[in-house]
Each structure stands twice: as C-alpha cells, then as structure tokens.
Amino acid sequence: MSTYTAKDITVLEGLEPVRKRPGMYIGGVGATGLHHLVWEILDNAVDEAMNGFASNIAVTLHADGSSITVSDDGRGIPVDKHAATRKSALEVIFTVLHAGGKFEQGNYKTAGGLHGVGASVVNALSSELRASVKRDGAVWEMSFKRGKPVAPLRKTGPARGSGTTVYFHPDPTIFPKVEFDAAVVRERLEIVSYIHKGVRVTFEDEAEKTKVAFEHQEGLADYLRKIVAERNAKPVHETAFVHARDTAPRLDLVLQWTEATDEHVRSYVNGIPTASGGTHESGLRAGLGKAVRNYIDTHNLSPKGVTLSAEDIREGLTGVLSLFIEEPQFQGQTKDRLNNPEILSVIDSAVRPALEHWLNHNPTIADAVVGRIILAARAREASRAAQAEVTRKTATTGRLNLPGKLSDCTSPGREDSELFVVEGDSAGGSAKQGRDRVRQAILPLRGKVMNTEGMTFAKVLENKELADLVTALGCGMGKTFELSRLRYGRVIILADADSDGHHIATLLLTFIYRHLPHLITGGKVFLAQPPLYRIDIGKNTFWALDDAHRDRLLKLYANGRAHADITRFKGLGEMMPKVLWETTLNPKTRRLLRVEILDQVVTDRVINELMGKDASARFRFIMDRAEEAQELDV
Ligand code: 2B7
C-alpha cells in the first residue's frame, strides 16, 4: 500500500517564472530584494547548523562589492543521482523551483520557513553561481549561469571533512544596482550568532580587508547584555530572565528590567527581525503582565494609592524574543509584523508560568523588579499630576495653579512670551524687577539643579525645583509631553556668566535634553548672555560677556590711553534691575543663543560622558580637551 499523501506532493517547475517576476519571490529588485538573496543562501547554512550538522558559517563579501561566498561545514548538499530525474540532488536543488510540500524526506527544519526553496531562486537571479560540496572524501563542483547549468556536476579532487560553499553574483539585468551593503550583512550575521548560540559566524569584507568572527555561547543572553550596554541602561537586576523552549514552536526569550525610561524588546521570527505589534509580541506582553500581577498579588505587594498599568510593568524592560514557526504570516506595510493569531496564546501560556516561577524563585530580583514597577507608576502619576496641576484652575479665582515662586507674565501663551529660568533668589529678584511683565515670566531656581543624567522620571519629579519648572512650562514631560501646551514662546536659561553659572546651565540643559527633548528640537530653548564686566570709558559704558570680550573692547575704545573703569559682576543678583533689562532682558538690545542639536548620536554620547556616573569617561573627556581649555584661560 502506498503511504504517499497529498502532503508529500511537490510541484516542480523550471526557473522561468522567477526571472519573469522576481518580485513575487524576493519582494522586489531593490536593495532589500538584492540582500534577500544572501539571506536565502545563509538560511540554508543556518538550517544545517540548526539541525546540528554545521558549527561554522563563513561569509565573504568580495572586493567587487557585488558577489558573495557563503560556506558551512555541514554534511554537504547530497550529490547522488535523484531517481526520478536522473539528475544529482545538488542540480535539482539549484535548478528546480520547489513550490510547497517537502523536498526532503522526514523533517528538515528550516530557518526562513521557506522549506529551502531559496537556492533555486537565488540561482535563477544570479548571472553566475558556483556550488562546491565536500562529501565522502571528495570535492564536487557545479556552475550555473542565470539558473542554467554550465557543465555537469564534476568531482574536482580529494577532500577532508564536509560542507557546502556557494558563490554567487546577482544578475545585473535583473537588479538595477548590484552592490551589497557590508554593514547590513555584518549586522545580520551577528544576529544569527546570537540567535543560534554556539555557531561561529565569520564575515570577511575583502574591500575593507577586515574579518570578524561572531560566536556566543549564551546566545540571546549575550545579545541582551550588548543591547543594555549600548543603550547605557542600568540594570535593575544582574541576572536576566532566560527562557528556552525546544519543542515546536521553538522559542527563546531573555528579559531584563533596567532604569531606562522606555521599553525595548526586539523580536525575531525564523531569524528575521519583526516589527513590534505582532501577535508574538502581544503574547509576550499578555503573559508577562499576568505573571508580574500574579506575583504582586500573591505576595501582597500591591502599592497603596496607585494602580499599576501595563506600561508601568514594562517600563525599562529590555529583551529579545526569538521564535521559529512553520508558516509565518506577515502583514503591515513592510511585511514584517507577525500575524499568526494562534501564536498569541502559545507565547502567553509559555511565558506566564515560566516568568512567575522565576520571580518566585528569585525573591531578591523579584522585589527589585516590583520596586521598579511601582516607581514607574508613581512617576506616571506624578507626571500626570504635574500636568494636571497647570491645567487645573482654582475654584475661587479661576486661575491656573502655578508654582508660588513663578512670577508669571500677564500674557502667557503668546508667541512672543518668555520664561526666564534664573539661578538663585536674588538674581530672580533683579530679573523680576527689571523685566517686561507683560511678556516675560521669571522662575527662580534655588541653588544647583540636580544632575538628572541616568535618572528615572520618578526621581526627577521628586525634585521640587524641576517639578516646578515642568509645571510652569505646562507641556508635561516624557509620555505626556505636548509641545502645543507650552505656555511660553521661548524658554530662556539665565545663569551667571562664570563657571558656576555654566555648570548650572549645563545641568538644566541635561534635564531638558533627556526629559523634554522636543523643547530643544522645537527651537524653544535659549541661553541668555548676561555680561560679566561693566566697562566705563569717559561717558560711555560697555558690557563684556567674558574676558576675551573685555580685552577686545578695551583695545578698541581705551587703547591704553583713556582711563577705563572695570567692574566685574559677582553674579546676576548684584546687577541693578535696569542694567539687567538693558543688557540681558530687552529683546531689542540683548543677545540670545538658541540651543541646537547638531548630531543626536554625538550629543547623546557627550552628555552621557560628561554628566553620567562614569567618572573615568568624564576624566577622558576633560583630558582630551585639556589643551583647548588652557588656551581659553590665557
Ligand atoms: C532543502 C535544501 C536546500 N541540503 C541538504 C543537506 C545538507 C545541506 C543542504 C546545505 C549555504 C551555503 C553554503 C541533507 C537542503 C539541501 O539536503 S543545503 N547543507 N548548506 C547550504 O546550502 N549552505 C543534507 C541530508 C543529508 N546530507 C545532506
């Protein structure tokens, strides 16, 4: 009796359809489609590793930038004759389009979920492809052009070990631009090494003459460490939650709570990065939420007065989810959001008990996590309260509930209204008297503002000075930020012209950059330029911003002959209100510096180095610039 079932039927076709409609098979003929060819061949090597036969994968991007060689040390593609076609298995794999069904007998686990149909597609779309196999003590080779064999498979010599090597050059008559992006390939290979722990993946870039090797014994746990370090996130607990499920569907998950203020979970399906919002991520969220809530409830850790939201539970959460499934369905504009509905409950019911068990068996970690979550909830409430505070009108006067220290202007909300954030009460007093009270508001801050770098919203909002600033601005912060609610057209930092003043301005800017970045990108933040010196020469008065400015003015107007009276201000507080108006506040005569971000990544790094906890980074930064600083001092 035949055991032949519909499941085993394989529809075999030539490669013409692939060349006619390449987009149907690889998504397009642009850069994404071009790189797709690499992923297809790479998938076959990864499959061989996943099945336990290969442990090394090597990829070489050749000097021309348009051809690639992939090799593995697996069993080698079979070279024996296929009974039905009287062609070698290798030739069939590269020249016949396998649409559906299973090509191999038994279960051949696949990475990309394409059942290994990729090799023939890549061959069809390559102007040249060479496959070389080491098996049973011999090397076998076969070459193709545009999917057609150039010569029969032939034995080219003796060999030790086994494996497969595929060289290909995509067809320039199909792809408008045949140029691989080394960084893209490299990144994908690194991820492969994390997803498949223990597999050694090397990448050689011939043009750059560089070679890197990726190998991670701890897989996703190693990946998580890298992500956490890259994001400068301080972990809430040392040991991450690691969950692996080896039965189908294979699932790997690592999670760690950090003090970062956002959630950062990366997901992969069959080794391919997936957009957030897929059914697997929904399942993770559901399981995670239930596990944490169950833990909190059974241990009676529920905080008084605040309810924990799903977002609170995931604030600062960093993780990686990797999933392997038979038939992934994708949706969304870029076709990278997983849409298999059954996956939601699969992940949910895998994550919940595992995470709950982990929390119960690691009470120290669990308590730190719960503490972090409660802090997030409190911060959210405080942030909302700060926002509500400014929008809430008092019952009696119908006015806004602003900080007592704020001397508001009579026309907030106007495009030409300004909030001066001033260091110290005495300077605040001078500014209050000297200002244009219709358009200019004054918020004095007492003493040094705290350093907010690396700090959570919760901690930041515990600080009265900063909470008052957020209240006065009216635009909320973090998730509740809304630029349209900003109560002033400009936010101007007014600090002394000395190094102490610069320090305070830096602390304020650090806070704004980290917690109200859209104020800066919206062009709303400025630095006032108060003078450091008053210079009287005869009947004329000049204001100098710093020592160099003073010397320039002296040279220009006194030039060694006339007598000059020079007064150095100890601080804004000792300036007469009228003088402060003339030099610093009056829009017609003052100078303002607008705060801009030229390069996000660089700014981020510099702030982290200068303001972060890592004192050695700060020291390196200062030493690197010691010479510049000395020059400025003379
Ligand atoms: C479904 C097809 C594509 N295949 C095999 C065996 C090993 C093997 C491959 C491969 C890419 C670049 C170097 C199976 C599977 C074909 O059937 S493909 N290794 N590596 C690969 O393509 N690397 C195989 C059973 C027994 N012996 C060998």
Side-chain angles (χ1 to χ4, degrees), residues 41-42 44-45 48 70-72 75-78 93 103-104 108 115-116 119 135 164-166:
I41 298 298
L42 180 65
N44 290 342
E48 194 63 2
V70 181
S71 65
D72 68 53
R75 294 164 294 180
I77 297 177
I93 284 166
F103 175 73
E104 277 292 320
Y108 195 86
H115 302 286
R135 250 186 104 96
T164 303
T165 299
V166 175

Side-chain angles (χ1 to χ4, degrees), residues 364-378:
T364 318
I365 294 179
D367 287 352
V369 168
V370 173
R372 171 73 184 85
I373 292 168
I374 293 171
L375 217 57
R378 292 238 154 87

Side-chain angles (χ1 to χ4, degrees), residues 202-219:
T202 58
F203 176 56
E204 183 176 358
D205 183 347
E206 281 186 352
E208 292 292 322
K209 296 193 169 64
T210 55
K211 198 168 176 180
V212 280
F214 303 113
E215 184 176 357
H216 296 284
Q217 293 307 331
E218 291 189 51

